[in-house]
C-alpha cells in the first residue's frame, strides 16, 4: 500500500476508511462542526471566521487546531 | 515453644523495633553478618532471633529457557537469581538459612498485609523448609510502638494467615503471566517484523491505566471551546465591596450579555428577600492511604510516591500507624487519650491536644471505608526525632487530620439575599463561622470561604458599582495528575492500595507518560493505539477489574488461588494467539511509530537558511559529538549548521529566535535549572 495515500492529511497516522483523516482528526473535525453551531448563535459569525478564531484559542486542542487551520486554508471537509 | 525462636520481619528497622519490644531489658543483642543485621532478644528465659528480609527475597520466574511467548510455566526462585540488581538479597537468604538451623519455632512478624505475609511465607518455605510452616505463628500489629507490639505478641495467632498468602502468591503469579507475555509479545512483534530490538513492556494494570490516560488525552487534543458570557456585578455596602451573582451563571450569546449589562448599569439594586440558614459541617474522617496521598498532593504538592515514602518512614519510626490501609475508621481499641497526651508534649499541638483532652468523650468521625487488617492512619503520640522537611509536613498533616476527626462540627451561618437590579435577579451570598469546631485543628489545610455580610433588610437599596459582561470559553477537562489518577484507579477498582503508586511510577519510568499534569508521550500513545486496534482486551478496565475481584475473593476464602491463576491463563491464551497471528502488522505499526518518534526527537525546527529544510540534531560518526544541521545538507542544497551543548538532553521549544530565526532549544541537565537558548552561536541577540 502506498505510504502517503494511506496517511491522514494532517498527520502521519493511518486514515480512517472512507475518509481523508485519521480517527483523531476526524473526531476533531466533528467537534469543530458541533462547536460552530454554538459560536454561530453566540457571535453571528461565518464558518471561516470561526475556524480562525477557534484555532487561536488556547483551550483548543492540538488536533482541533490543526484541523481548523487546515480547513480555514481551504482544505476539504471530512 | 522451646529453645530458640526465629522471628521474621520485613525490614531491618522493623526488626530492631520488634527485638527491642521483645527483650526484657529493651536492649537486645545486635549483630551484623555479611551486611545483614539481626538481633537476639531474651524473654522468659527464651531466645528470639529477630531477623529481617529486604522486601521480597523470592520472586516468580520462567520454568525452562527461551525468550518467547506464550509462557505459562513458572516457579518461585530467589530474587537475586531472577534479577542481578538484587544481588544483595543472597546474603539475607544465606544468613537467615544459617540462623534458622536448630530453632524450635518461627514467627512471621512482617507487616500485616498480603505482601508481608507472602514475604515471610516464602522465607519459611524455601529457606527454613516446608516443615517450618506448621511450626509458624503470626503476629498482627498496626504500629511499631512497644505497647502495640507487646499486645500483638500476647494475641499471636498460632498459624500463618494462609488466605492472605494464597491471595498474594496468586497476585504475583497473575501479574507475572501478564507482564512477561505482553512484554515479549510487544518486543518480539517489532523485532520479528523489522529486526529492530527494543524492550517494550506493559503490565496487567498498566495497560488499562494507560488507556484511561489516552482517552483523556484524545478528549483534550480534539477539544473545541465554545464561548459564553458571565455577568460580574459588584455592590458597595457600608464602604465594602461585595460581588453579586447573576441568576444565570452563563449567558449563551453576546447580545444577551450586553443587554443585561446595559440594563443594570447605573441602577441600584433592591434587596427582595433574605434567607439565613445554619449549617453544620462534620469533620473529615481520618486518612486512609489514598486520602492522605490526595490531600498531600492538593495541599503540599507532594507526589503519591513522595507521600508514601515519607509515611512509611514515619511508620518505621513508630510515629504513625501502618499507612497502607484502606480504612477511614478508628476502632474503639485505640487509646485516643493516650495519643493526645503524647501529642500534647509537642509544642505545636499542645494547645489543640489539650482542647480535645478537656472533652468528656472522644468520638472520632468514622468514614465509610474499612479495612479488615488495619485502622485508618493515626499518630501514635510518640515524640518525633529529627525528621526531614517532607516527613515533618506529612506528619503534621496526619496529626492535624487525626485531631480534626475528633473535633466538633463546624457551624456556619449562611446568608442568601435576592437582589433585583432593574428586573434582573441577582444573589448576594455571605457566610460566617459561628463555631470553628474541627477547623481549629486543621487550620493550615482549610480553605477559607467566609464573606461576612453587613446587616441587610428587605427593601433596602444597594448601589451597583461595577457591571461587566465577561466573555469566557469552555475548557477541556484537566489532564490527570498523579493524585487524580490514583483516585480514578481507586474508583475503577484497578490495582490495589499497595500497588497503584508503583504502577503510576512505572508508566513514567517506561516513558509512556510525562509531566506532573500527566501527558501521554508519543511512545505511550502508539502502544495504546496499536493494542486498542489489535488487542483491546489487554487494555480493558473491565477485564482487569474482574480479575482484581477474583484475586480479592481468594483473600475472603471464596475462590481458590489455583482456579484464579488458571482463569488468568485461560484469558491470556486467546489474546496471545490473536497477537501472534497479527504480529507482523502490530510490529510494523509500532516500528513506524517508533521511527516517527525518533525523527521528531531530533527535529529542532525549520531551517532559517533554506526555508524548506529542517534543523535536526546530528551526531558526527567519527567523534560522536552532536551538532544541529539542516536536513538539506545531504542533498547539497543547504549547509546551515550550529554547535550544540554536549551535555544534557535537548528539546525543541517549537519556536524560532525572533532575532536570527534559528530554532530555540531547551537544554535539560540533571540537578541544573533548564536552560533555553537560540542554537545560533552568532545570534545578534547574544552579542547584546
Amino acid at each position: 500500500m502506498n505510504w502517503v495515500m494511506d496517511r491522514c492529511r494532517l498527520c502521519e497516522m493511518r486514515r480512517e476508511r472512507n475518509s481523508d483523516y485519521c480517527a483523531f482528526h476526524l473526531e476533531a473535525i466533528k467537534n469543530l462542526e458541533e462547536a460552530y453551531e454554538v459560536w454561530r448563535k453566540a457571535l453571528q459569525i461565518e464558518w471561516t471566521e470561526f475556524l480562525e478564531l477557534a484555532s487561536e484559542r488556547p483551550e483548543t486542542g492540538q488536533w482541533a487546531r490543526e484541523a481548523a487551520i487546515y480547513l480555514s486554508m481551504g482544505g476539504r471537509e471530512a | 515453644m522451646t529453645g530458640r525462636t526465629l522471628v521474621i520481619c520485613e525490614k531491618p528497622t522493623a526488626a530492631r523495633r520488634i527485638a527491642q519490644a521483645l527483650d526484657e531489658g529493651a536492649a537486645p543483642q545486635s549483630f551484623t553478618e555479611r551486611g545483614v543485621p539481626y538481633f537476639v532478644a531474651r524473654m522468659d528465659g527464651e531466645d528470639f532471633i529477630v531477623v529481617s528480609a529486604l522486601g521480597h527475597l523470592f520472586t516468580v520466574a520462567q520454568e525452562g529457557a527461551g525468550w518467547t511467548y506464550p509462557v505459562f510455566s513458572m516457579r518461585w526462585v530467589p530474587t537475586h537469581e531472577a534479577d542481578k540488581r538484587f544481588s544483595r538479597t543472597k546474603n539475607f537468604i544465606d544468613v537467615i538459612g544459617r540462623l534458622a538451623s536448630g530453632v524450635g519455632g518461627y514467627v512471621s512478624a512482617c507487616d500485616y498485609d498480603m505482601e508481608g505475609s507472602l514475604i515471610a511465607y516464602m522465607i519459611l518455605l524455601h529457606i527454613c523448609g516446608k516443615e517450618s510452616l506448621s511450626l509458624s505463628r503470626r503476629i498482627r500489629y498496626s504500629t511499631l510502638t512497644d505497647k502495640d507490639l507487646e499486645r500483638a505478641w500476647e494475641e499471636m495467632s498460632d498459624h500463618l494467615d494462609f488466605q492472605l498468602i494464597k491471595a498474594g502468591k496468586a497476585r504475583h503469579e497473575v501479574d507475572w503471566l501478564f507482564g512477561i507475555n505482553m512484554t515479549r509479545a510487544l518486543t518480539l512483534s517489532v523485532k520479528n517484523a523489522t529486526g529492530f530490538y527494543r524492550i517494550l513492556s506493559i503490565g496487567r494494570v498498566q495497560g488499562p491505566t494507560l488507556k484511561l490516560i489516552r482517552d483523556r488525552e484524545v478528549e483534550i487534543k480534539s477539544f473545541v471551546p465554545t464561548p459564553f458570557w458571565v455577568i460580574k456585578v459588584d455592590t458597595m455596602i457600608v464602604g465594602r465591596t461585595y460581588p453579586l451573582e447573576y441568576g444565570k451563571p452563563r449567558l449563551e450569546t453576546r447580545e444577551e450579555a450586553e443587554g443585561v449589562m446595559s440594563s443594570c448599569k447605573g441602577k441600584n439594586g433592591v434587596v427582595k428577600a433574605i434567607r439565613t440558614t445554619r449549617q453544620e459541617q462534620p469533620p473529615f474522617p481520618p486518612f486512609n492511604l489514598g486520602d492522605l496521598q490526595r490531600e498531600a498532593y492538593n495541599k503540599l504538592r507532594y507526589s503519591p510516591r513522595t507521600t508514601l515514602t515519607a509515611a512509611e518512614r514515619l511508620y518505621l519510626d513508630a510515629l504513625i500507624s501502618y499507612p497502607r490501609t484502606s480504612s477511614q475508621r478508628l476502632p474503639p481499641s485505640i487509646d485516643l487519650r493516650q495519643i493526645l497526651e503524647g501529642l500534647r508534649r509537642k509544642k505545636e499541638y499542645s494547645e489543640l491536644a489539650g482542647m480535645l483532652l478537656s472533652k468528656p468523650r472522644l468520638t472520632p468521625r468514622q468514614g465509610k471505608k474499612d479495612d479488615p487488617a488495619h485502622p485508618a492512619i493515626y499518630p501514635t503520640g510518640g515524640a518525633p526525632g529529627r525528621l526531614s522537611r517532607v516527613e515533618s509536613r506529612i506528619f503534621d498533616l496526619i496529626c492535624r487530620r487525626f485531631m480534626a476527626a475528633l473535633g466538633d462540627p463546624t457551624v456556619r451561618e449562611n446568608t442568601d439575599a435576592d437582589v433585583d437590579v432593574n428586573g434582573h435577579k441577582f444573589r448576594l451570598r455571605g457566610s460566617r463561622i459561628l463555631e470553628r469546631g474541627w477547623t481549629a485543628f486543621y487550620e493550615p489545610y482549610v480553605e477559607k470561604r467566609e464573606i461576612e455580610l453587613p446587616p441587610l433588610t428587605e427593601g433596602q437599596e444597594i448601589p451597583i458599582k461595577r457591571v461587566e459582561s465577561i466573555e469566557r470559553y469552555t475548557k477541556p477537562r484537566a489532564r490527570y495528575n498523579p493524585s487524580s489518577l490514583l483516585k480514578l484507579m481507586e474508583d475503577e477498582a484497578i490495582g490495589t492500595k499497595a500497588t497503584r503508586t508503583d504502577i503510576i511510577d512505572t508508566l513514567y519510568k517506561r516513558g509512556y507518560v510525562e509531566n506532573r499534569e500527566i501527558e501521554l508521550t508519543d511512545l505511550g500513545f502508539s502502544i495504546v493505539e496499536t493494542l486498542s486496534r489489535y488487542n483491546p482486551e489487554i487494555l480493558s478496565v473491565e477485564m482487569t477489574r474482574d480479575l482484581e475481584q477474583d484475586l480479592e475473593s481468594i483473600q475472603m476464602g471464596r475462590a481458590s488461588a489455583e482456579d484464579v491463576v488458571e482463569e488468568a491463563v485461560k484469558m491470556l491464551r486467546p489474546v496471545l494467539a490473536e497477537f501472534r497471528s497479527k504480529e507482523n502488522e502490530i510490529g510494523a505499526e509500532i516500528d513506524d511509530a517508533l521511527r516517527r518518534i525518533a525523527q521528531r526527537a531530533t527535529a529542532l525546527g525549520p531551517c532559517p537558511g533554506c526555508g524548506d529544510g529542517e534543523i535536526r540534531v546530528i551526531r558526527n560518526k567519527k567523534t560522536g559529538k552532536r551538532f544541529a544541521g539542516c536536513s538539506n545538507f545531504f542533498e547539497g542544497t543547504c549547509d546551515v549548521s550550529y554547535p550544540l551543548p554536549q551535555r544534557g538532553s535537548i528539546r525543541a521549544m517549537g519556536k524560532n529566535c525572533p532575532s536570527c530565526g534559528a530554532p530555540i532549544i531547551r537544554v535539560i541537565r540533571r540537578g541544573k535549572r533548564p536552560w533555553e537558548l537560540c542554537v545560533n552561536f552568532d545570534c545578534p541577540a547574544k552579542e547584546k
Side-chain angles (χ1 to χ4, degrees):
Chain A
M1 198 182 292
N2 184 317
W3 193 90
V4 177
M5 294 293 287
D6 189 32
R7 303 288 143 162
C8 168
R9 279 174 181 263
L10 295 168
C11 68
E12 293 154 330
M13 302 279 281
R14 201 167 284 181
R15 63 182 165 80
E16 288 295 284
R17 186 174 294 188
N18 300 327
S19 171
D20 289 337
Y21 307 99
C22 66
F24 306 115
H25 281 108
L26 207 51
E27 171 77 13
I29 289 168
K30 193 188 97 206
N31 289 350
L32 281 166
E33 285 165 355
E34 279 172 14
Y36 173 58
E37 287 309 309
V38 182
W39 282 67
R40 192 178 54 78
K41 198 175 147 210
L43 296 165
Q44 313 287 320
I45 57 170
E46 295 297 319
W47 171 247
T48 323
E49 193 186 352
F50 154 69
L51 290 173
E52 279 167 15
L53 290 173
S55 68
E56 285 164 11
R57 291 297 321 164
E59 301 88 355
T60 303
Q62 183 193 326
W63 297 329
R65 179 175 294 113
E66 287 164 358
I69 292 170
Y70 179 73
L71 295 174
S72 70
M73 290 191 309
R76 281 193 302 118
E77 284 183 49
Chain B
M1 212 177 275
T2 54
R4 291 178 306 146
T5 299
L6 186 73
V7 182
I8 301 164
C9 305
E10 196 166 323
K11 295 181 189 87
T13 321
R16 182 166 26 84
R17 288 207 168 271
I18 289 169
Q20 257 167 15
L22 289 183
D23 191 74
E24 280 158 347
Q29 288 178 277
S30 167
F31 303 91
T32 303
E33 189 178 323
R34 291 167 63 190
V36 179
Y38 67 92
F39 306 87
V40 178
R42 193 152 182 83
M43 185 171 57
D44 300 332
E46 223 184 296
D47 278 346
F48 294 88
I49 306 167
V50 186
V51 69
S52 125
L54 198 62
H56 283 280
L57 298 185
F58 293 87
T59 189
V60 192
Q62 181 180 345
E63 180 99 70
W67 213 88
T68 183
Y69 74 95
V71 23
F72 298 120
S73 305
M74 59 192 145
R75 64 199 170 107
W76 284 80
V77 299
T79 310
H80 66 88
E81 283 179 19
D83 191 335
K84 286 194 173 66
R85 286 174 302 170
F86 298 102
S87 58
R88 205 179 148 210
T89 56
K90 182 176 188 311
N91 291 352
F92 280 76
I93 291 176
D94 294 345
V95 172
I96 295 172
R98 191 188 68 71
L99 294 172
S101 73
V103 297
Y106 307 86
V107 175
S108 162
C110 291
D111 291 342
Y112 182 49
D113 62 10
M114 209 187 282
E115 298 301 322
S117 298
L118 186 63
I119 287 170
Y121 170 80
M122 285 296 167
I123 289 172
L124 290 164
L125 179 68
H126 294 288
I127 304 177
C128 307
K130 205 172 180 180
E131 61 285 357
S132 68
L133 296 175
S134 57
L135 299 171
S136 297
R137 301 187 290 170
R138 176 67 156 127
I139 64 165
R140 297 175 180 136
Y141 53 88
S142 288
T143 74
L144 284 168
T145 56
D146 289 352
K147 194 182 162 203
D148 204 19
L149 290 170
E150 282 159 18
R151 180 208 47 79
W153 194 262
E154 278 165 23
E155 294 169 6
M156 182 162 17
S157 123
D158 61 1
H159 55 79
L160 295 175
D161 33 22
F162 285 103
Q163 305 284 60
L164 270 183
I165 293 165
K166 282 179 190 170
K169 187 167 169 280
R171 183 174 290 277
H172 276 257
E173 290 175 357
V174 166
D175 284 347
W176 181 85
L177 283 168
F178 272 79
I180 201 91
N181 281 298
M182 287 316 301
T183 298
R184 288 181 181 182
L186 277 174
T187 306
L188 290 173
S189 68
V190 178
K191 187 171 178 283
N192 294 344
T194 67
F196 178 70
Y197 180 79
R198 173 181 174 156
I199 292 274
L200 295 166
S201 53
I202 195 102
R204 181 177 67 85
V205 186
Q206 286 148 28
T209 309
L210 214 50
K211 173 76 164 50
L212 292 169
I213 299 171
R214 173 266 185 205
D215 289 349
R216 180 62 60 91
E217 192 73 30
V218 169
E219 197 183 308
I220 292 169
K221 284 190 167 159
S222 53
F223 181 79
V224 182
T226 50
F228 64 91
W229 286 261
V230 289
I231 302 294
K232 289 272 174 197
V233 171
D234 285 343
T235 180
M236 178 83 92
I237 311 171
V238 211
R240 275 192 67 185
T241 305
Y242 298 91
L244 290 181
E245 291 169 26
Y246 188 53
K248 279 168 94 177
R250 287 178 175 204
L251 299 176
E252 286 172 10
T253 67
R254 179 186 281 161
E255 198 185 350
E256 191 185 359
E258 281 171 358
V260 175
M261 195 172 67
S262 62
S263 171
C264 296
K265 227 169 209 169
K267 299 287 189 302
N268 277 351
V270 180
V271 177
K272 288 287 181 188
I274 305 164
R275 289 174 296 278
T276 304
T277 51
R278 203 178 139 96
Q279 184 197 14
E280 280 198 7
Q281 193 189 351
F284 294 118
F287 283 129
N288 62 18
L289 178 61
D291 293 342
L292 172 65
Q293 287 174 310
R294 269 191 294 284
E295 190 77 334
Y297 184 83
N298 293 336
K299 300 290 181 338
L300 306 169
R301 285 284 164 225
Y302 290 152
S303 72
R305 161 64 58 205
T306 304
T307 302
L308 178 59
T309 307
E312 279 182 334
R313 284 198 193 132
L314 294 170
Y315 161 71
L316 288 171
D317 283 348
L319 293 173
I320 63 163
S321 61
Y322 189 61
R324 290 182 194 246
T325 174
S326 305
S327 175
Q328 297 170 319
R329 303 176 73 85
L330 294 171
S333 57
I334 295 172
D335 191 340
L336 302 170
R337 282 192 186 275
Q338 197 191 36
I339 295 169
L340 290 169
E341 287 292 356
L343 291 179
R344 184 146 73 168
R345 285 192 285 274
K346 211 167 150 35
K347 207 173 92 192
E348 53 266 57
Y349 307 132
S350 172
E351 195 189 328
L352 298 173
M355 279 161 67
L356 289 170
L357 282 165
S358 68
K359 286 173 76 169
R361 221 168 140 233
L362 291 169
T363 313
R365 169 83 202 278
Q366 307 283 26
K368 284 182 186 157
K369 292 181 186 163
D370 206 355
D371 187 324
H374 296 281
I377 304 170
Y378 63 90
T380 60
R386 211 179 148 77
L387 299 179
S388 71
R389 184 175 161 76
V390 178
E391 284 161 18
S392 93
R393 294 179 84 183
I394 295 293
F395 182 65
D396 183 62
L397 195 56
I398 292 168
C399 289
R400 286 181 183 277
R401 179 74 161 228
F402 166 76
M403 288 190 285
L406 295 167
D408 296 323
T410 296
V411 182
R412 247 174 234 285
E413 185 187 73
N414 296 325
T415 307
D416 195 350
D418 291 342
V419 177
D420 183 280
V421 184
N422 199 20
H424 293 283
K425 281 186 181 164
F426 287 85
R427 281 174 95 179
L428 176 59
R429 284 182 207 249
S431 171
R432 69 187 179 110
I433 284 189
L434 299 178
E435 287 163 37
R436 287 174 78 200
W438 62 270
T439 54
F441 305 96
Y442 208 50
E443 181 84 58
Y445 311 109
V446 177
E447 279 162 28
K448 293 190 176 65
R449 52 182 179 97
E450 277 79 58
I451 301 178
E452 200 165 331
L453 295 181
L456 293 169
T457 50
E458 284 181 15
Q460 182 181 347
E461 281 210 3
I462 51 174
I464 300 303
K465 284 287 160 199
R466 181 183 72 125
V467 184
E468 236 182 305
S469 136
I470 301 172
E471 186 174 328
R472 295 222 169 120
Y473 288 83
T474 52
K475 288 182 180 151
R477 287 200 290 169
R479 287 201 158 84
Y480 294 113
N481 57 46
S483 160
S484 59
L485 183 59
L486 203 67
K487 174 89 173 70
L488 179 73
M489 291 169 77
E490 246 179 73
D491 294 345
E492 294 287 348
I494 54 173
T496 68
K497 58 182 182 286
T499 59
R500 289 183 192 118
T501 313
D502 290 336
I503 288 159
I504 297 174
D505 280 356
T506 308
L507 294 178
Y508 277 101
K509 274 186 208 148
R510 291 183 178 165
Y512 295 159
V513 298
E514 60 186 4
N515 301 334
R516 195 181 270 256
E517 300 301 308
I518 300 174
E519 227 173 306
L520 205 59
T521 61
D522 289 341
L523 177 62
F525 200 83
S526 66
I527 298 279
V528 181
E529 284 315 302
T530 312
L531 288 176
S532 307
R533 195 186 294 260
Y534 297 102
N535 265 119
E537 302 90 343
I538 288 297
L539 305 174
S540 157
V541 171
E542 289 73 28
M543 189 176 93
T544 307
R545 191 189 296 142
D546 290 349
L547 203 50
E548 209 70 66
Q549 279 165 359
D550 288 348
L551 288 163
E552 258 173 48
S553 302
I554 303 173
Q555 199 174 329
M556 305 293 157
R558 293 197 296 260
S560 103
E562 293 76 18
D563 286 352
V564 173
V565 175
E566 190 50 42
E567 192 57 35
V569 171
K570 272 189 202 157
M571 273 182 196
L572 268 172
R573 264 187 212 282
V575 170
L576 293 169
E578 177 86 353
F579 201 104
R580 179 71 89 186
S581 70
K582 294 171 183 164
E583 201 181 68
N584 283 341
E585 292 101 302
I586 295 173
E589 203 152 305
I590 296 176
D591 179 64
D592 187 24
L594 289 174
R595 279 176 205 279
R596 273 185 276 134
I597 292 162
Q599 202 170 21
R600 235 173 287 154
T602 62
L604 298 181
C607 173
C610 62
D612 67 339
E614 187 176 54
I615 299 293
R616 291 184 186 159
V617 178
I618 302 168
R619 277 205 183 269
N620 183 314
K621 282 183 185 163
K622 278 187 192 161
T623 63
K625 289 193 173 177
R626 65 186 175 187
F627 64 97
C630 179
S631 54
N632 283 337
F633 175 80
F634 299 103
E635 321 291 327
T637 55
C638 183
D639 62 355
V640 168
S641 69
Y642 309 103
L644 285 176
Q646 295 302 312
R647 287 192 195 165
S649 66
I650 289 175
R651 272 199 200 162
M653 295 307 294
K655 53 187 179 185
N656 288 58
C657 174
S659 198
C660 68
I664 306 259
I665 59 166
R666 176 180 283 178
V667 184
I668 303 159
R669 284 176 65 181
R670 189 185 279 263
K672 305 252 170 157
R673 193 184 284 266
W675 173 36
E676 257 178 51
L677 72 155
C678 164
V679 289
N680 183 3
F681 195 71
D682 300 319
C683 175
K686 287 181 185 165
E687 282 167 21
K688 284 176 200 165

